[in-house]
Amino acid sequence: MEDTAGAGLTGDLNANLRWPSTGDLQLDKAVQQWVDWDRNPRTRAQLDSLVEAGRLDDLRSRLCSRMSFGTAGLRAPMGAGFNRINDLTIIQSTQGLYAYLCRCFADLSSRGVVVGYDTRGQEESGCSSQRLAKLTAAVMLSRDVPVHLFSTFVPTPYVPYAVKKLGAASGVMITASHNPKEDNGYKVYWCNGAQIASPHDKEVLRCIEEQLEPWNASCWDEKLVDHSSLRTDPLTQINSCYMDDLTSLCFHRDLNSSCTLKFIHSSFHGVGHDFVQQAFRVFGFAPPIPVPEQKDPDPNFSTVRCPNPEEGESVLELSLLLADRENAQIVLATDPDADRLAVAEQSNGCGWKVFSGNELAALLGWWMFFNWKENHPDPVATESIYMLATTVSSKILQAFARMEGFQFEETLPGFKWIGNRIHELSKTGKRVIFAFEESIGFLCGSMVPEKDGVSAAVVVAEMAVYLQTKKLSLNQQLHNIYRTYGYHVSKTSYVTCYDPPTIQRIFGRIRNFDRDASYPKECGGVRIVHVRDVTTGYDSSRPDLRSVLPVSRSSQMITFTLQNGVVATLRTSGTEPKIKYYTEFCAAPGESDVSQLEEELRMVTDALLDEFLEPDKNRLIRRFV
């Protein structure tokens, strides 16, 4: 198919087409634009085959809409199309980002941008993360903007860490984290090291729309990074600084060198292996035993059903088998871009305890505060420290804060909200010592305003070693925490729905449950006492009925507080075609009948799913574990 740059978008479109018209003028224009602009032969061939096969619905899906920033940036399947991740959409996104940065930073030409990438790739579209990172760099370099492009794959938190350390205006990480192998993404960080949030995300999208046509051939030249004097490789400096800063989280180095615990680590075919090994050495540990089948990069994630350690025992099979063979006590698993961490512990020879994100947060929150108090015994100092959690996460940190006297705040889901709040608090001299989201995303300390699986892994290891000296396991300490602060029993899961109108219909029904623009009055026979709808900004618990959390109209999220103390939330995922549901029973200290709490929670959770989502009627796919 020959280049027809600039042709066919005015006058008689059909007269200029190099392929049969689809009969849809809007679609014909979109196809023509793709043909004019795309220079990747593989994605061009993909589109050719769709046109020749008359796959109009597929063409409309790919070409007649664009990606928007969700909880983790732009994220979509790789392949041809304006709402897919590919060479052209990455170039367009970077042109828009450049235009917006020019408006915001008069010193952009001295500050530059940081670019990193993970190990993803797709042969049929030629879209590896490395190639997309080089094209991102090429667009910036073509406008004489310095680019700090990592020379190899790095954990996602290295990009925001480098943005802050180098004083860059922005950072881009090419990653889809734990998403299926077909996906990739474009994650943007601001100069404060946090992911962009409103209004920056909307303004960047507007600038992208104004910069759709690639500027020149240089934007397509991935070799530009090899000979431009404006390109630097920050890998050695940033890795060294990161590992140095990591020592601020090491509280008991004297215990680590004599550690008798054995650790297994899986990097889930991603970036984590080398970096976790280094972190263990920094803390004085022998490195963890790697899962050999999963330690090297593999964009096909060939040994796991899905590359998401949050799925638990079903995807940790190789790690647990190796741990049994090695007689290891603890399994650590970082997701493919190493920003999240799963942990499992040998349970007295009776199988494995895989901790949920909320349970790990209880342990890490306790650990970080325990060590803070050891080093800052003055109660006045405690009043100025903070812990943060997303609103769909466990309320356990809130219970800590009430009893211990530090500050606790909730944010909207997504670590971008936590990262930006950390920045705001730091400007007033406040310090965040721990933050988390229930989807196994943790930040110990605040050396980088992003969740970080590398630092979390080594902090968990040191906590386990310390507890061993007290003859306690992680799980035993978890129950000690619950006995002190109250049991927080939670359930998190999801259903899959590939049809956006069905999702709209489900949430529309919830908002008009009794056909009179009112929300449900009960769930599983338990009265609902408060409803908060962040999508519309409604909160029945507030005198003015307005939610304190920012309105987020681009996604669905409704929270119900029940009379029995259960808090339940339904929300759409910002990265996958899922409706997630979260329920938690927050018991008062002293309530110790855990089985009763779990049974009551199960009944409410089942009712939430069956009564509000109606999975069978709406053909929702239940989670397979």
Side-chain angles (χ1 to χ4, degrees):
M1 189 181 288
E2 61 188 273
D3 278 332
T4 55
L9 298 183
T10 57
D12 182 3
L13 179 67
N14 291 340
N16 294 300
L17 295 180
R18 298 290 186 268
W19 31 264
S21 169
T22 65
D24 177 333
L25 184 60
Q26 181 195 11
L27 184 56
D28 281 347
K29 275 190 174 184
V31 173
Q32 186 67 53
Q33 279 195 327
W34 185 268
V35 171
D36 288 347
W37 293 341
D38 184 26
R39 295 193 181 189
N40 180 326
R42 296 189 188 186
T43 45
R44 288 275 293 260
Q46 282 183 358
L47 203 79
D48 279 353
S49 65
L50 291 173
V51 170
E52 287 166 11
R55 301 263 299 274
L56 301 191
D57 287 344
D58 200 353
L59 285 167
R60 286 190 190 95
S61 166
R62 289 170 178 261
L63 294 171
C64 294
S65 62
R66 297 194 64 83
M67 297 174 288
S68 60
F69 284 96
T71 54
L74 303 174
R75 205 175 275 188
M78 289 176 274
F82 293 121
N83 76 343
R84 299 285 198 271
I85 294 287
N86 51 63
D87 292 6
L88 177 56
T89 56
I90 291 297
I91 289 170
Q92 291 175 327
S93 299
T94 308
Q95 291 181 166
L97 177 61
Y98 166 81
Y100 184 60
L101 292 176
C102 282
R103 278 170 37 192
C104 298
F105 296 95
D107 56 352
L108 177 61
S109 62
S110 60
R111 297 183 72 154
V113 299
V114 175
V115 180
Y117 55 93
D118 68 10
T119 58
R120 285 176 177 263
Q122 186 183 69
E123 192 172 344
E124 55 265 38
S125 61
C127 294
S128 71
S129 292
Q130 182 183 47
R131 173 177 168 79
L132 298 177
K134 287 182 175 182
L135 293 177
T136 300
V139 172
M140 292 291 180
L141 292 170
S142 75
R143 285 294 190 263
D144 296 325
V145 175
V147 176
H148 310 283
L149 171 66
F150 285 97
S151 56
T152 188
F153 52 80
V154 291
T156 286
Y158 269 47
V159 169
Y161 181 82
V163 167
K164 291 193 71 178
K165 189 65 70 174
L166 301 173
S170 179
V172 174
M173 178 69 185
I174 307 295
T175 181
S177 189
H178 57 280
N179 273 39
K181 67 178 182 180
E182 294 80 14
D183 291 359
N184 215 325
Y186 186 89
K187 208 168 187 176
V188 181
Y189 294 90
W190 201 240
C191 61
N192 61 11
Q195 288 178 55
I196 59 167
S198 187
H200 297 314
D201 52 359
K202 294 179 179 60
E203 289 300 306
V204 170
L205 281 176
R206 196 164 65 79
C207 288
I208 292 171
E209 294 281 359
E210 295 169 356
Q211 307 280 335
L212 290 178
E213 184 169 1
W215 293 327
N216 52 50
S218 294
C219 296
W220 294 91
D221 183 8
E222 64 175 301
K223 291 186 171 59
L224 193 56
V225 301
D226 299 325
H227 50 76
S228 170
S229 61
L230 290 173
R231 181 271 169 113
T232 58
D233 174 14
L235 180 64
T236 301
Q237 178 192 354
I238 293 304
N239 189 58
S240 176
C241 291
Y242 175 92
M243 293 299 167
D244 285 346
D245 283 353
L246 198 56
T247 59
S248 67
L249 300 175
C250 181
F251 305 110
H252 301 275
R253 189 181 177 87
D254 54 316
L255 300 176
N256 299 344
S257 57
S258 56
C259 162
T260 58
L261 288 176
K262 289 175 80 172
F263 299 93
I264 300 295
H265 173 238
S266 170
S267 52
F268 265 61
H269 299 295
V271 308
H273 171 72
D274 287 344
F275 300 95
V276 170
Q277 296 265 314
Q278 288 180 63
F280 265 65
R281 292 190 187 99
V282 165
F283 270 52
F285 289 117
I289 302 166
V291 178
E293 303 94 329
Q294 296 177 339
K295 79 178 180 68
D296 296 324
D298 174 10
N300 291 313
F301 305 112
S302 53
T303 68
V304 287
R305 176 177 52 79
C306 67
N308 185 358
E310 189 187 357
E311 295 287 339
E313 200 160 344
S314 63
V315 294
L316 295 173
E317 183 180 7
L318 287 175
S319 301
L320 300 178
L321 286 171
L322 178 62
D324 285 334
R325 285 199 304 273
E326 294 284 348
N327 196 28
Q329 292 79 26
I330 291 176
V331 164
L332 305 164
T334 47
D335 69 338
D337 67 328
D339 64 349
R340 304 193 312 156
L341 175 74
V343 178
E345 180 180 56
Q346 177 64 253
S347 200
N348 294 326
C350 304
W352 288 87
K353 161 69 176 174
V354 181
F355 294 94
S356 70
N358 286 331
E359 290 171 333
L360 271 178
L363 284 162
L364 285 167
W366 163 79
W367 178 246
M368 293 304 293
F369 185 68
F370 168 75
N371 287 292
W372 166 268
K373 277 201 306 187
E374 291 276 297
N375 295 303
H376 303 82
D378 183 358
V380 176
T382 298
E383 295 171 9
S384 68
I385 62 166
Y386 278 70
M387 292 194 192
L388 307 178
T390 59
T391 189
V392 294
S393 303
S394 172
K395 313 301 179 192
I396 186 65
L397 299 187
Q398 188 174 57
F400 281 10
R402 282 197 197 109
M403 290 184 68
E404 301 292 353
F406 62 83
Q407 309 300 314
F408 169 74
E409 285 188 12
E410 286 187 340
T411 71
L412 286 174
F415 231 87
K416 67 181 179 184
W417 299 103
I418 288 177
N420 280 288
R421 186 58 184 148
I422 288 172
H423 176 67
E424 290 168 12
L425 289 168
S426 70
K427 289 192 293 188
T428 62
K430 304 295 192 288
R431 179 172 172 181
V432 176
I433 65 167
F434 179 66
F436 88 104
E437 59 183 4
E438 55 73 38
S439 52
I440 61 172
F442 312 102
L443 173 57
C444 300
S446 52
M447 58 186 267
V448 54
E450 176 65 289
K451 56 185 178 289
D452 184 354
V454 175
S455 61
V458 73
V459 169
V460 166
E462 185 177 72
M463 174 170 55
V465 169
Y466 174 84
L467 289 171
Q468 186 191 38
T469 68
K470 306 298 180 185
K471 297 185 167 46
L472 289 168
S473 66
L474 293 173
N475 197 32
Q476 286 169 332
Q477 178 58 19
L478 178 65
H479 285 278
N480 289 340
I481 291 166
Y482 285 150
R483 278 190 284 272
T484 303
Y485 300 100
Y487 273 89
H488 285 61
V489 181
S490 59
K491 170 76 174 172
T492 300
S493 194
Y494 59 81
V495 292
T496 302
C497 180
Y498 294 100
D499 183 47
T502 296
I503 293 175
Q504 294 289 338
R505 191 167 61 249
I506 288 170
F507 281 89
R509 173 178 170 267
I510 292 171
R511 294 186 179 101
N512 296 274
F513 206 72
D514 296 320
R515 300 178 187 276
D516 61 352
S518 66
Y519 295 86
K521 305 291 193 300
E522 60 177 42
C523 179
V526 182
R527 190 165 72 86
I528 294 171
V529 293
H530 297 306
V531 177
R532 183 187 65 198
D533 188 341
V534 173
T535 309
T536 65
Y538 171 76
D539 186 344
S540 69
S541 72
R542 306 277 304 170
D544 60 359
L545 302 182
R546 294 175 66 178
S547 170
V548 174
L549 290 174
V551 175
S552 181
R553 299 192 189 282
S554 60
S555 60
Q556 304 281 352
M557 188 169 82
I558 305 176
T559 299
F560 306 95
T561 302
L562 279 61
Q563 192 171 33
N564 62 354
V566 171
V567 179
T569 296
L570 295 169
R571 69 176 277 258
T572 48
S573 169
T575 58
E576 297 168 287
K578 294 174 178 176
I579 302 174
K580 294 186 171 184
Y581 54 95
Y582 313 79
T583 55
E584 183 173 41
F585 202 129
C586 307
E591 285 190 47
S592 57
D593 190 347
V594 183
S595 59
Q596 174 62 33
L597 299 176
E598 289 175 339
E599 176 59 23
E600 202 160 343
L601 185 71
R602 185 191 63 77
M603 289 171 58
V604 169
T605 305
D606 289 348
L608 184 79
L609 186 62
D610 295 336
E611 295 173 12
F612 296 176
L613 298 185
E614 300 181 304
D616 297 333
K617 176 182 174 183
N618 290 309
R619 298 184 179 180
L620 307 178
I621 305 165
R622 295 174 189 259
R623 178 183 182 185
F624 168 75
V625 177

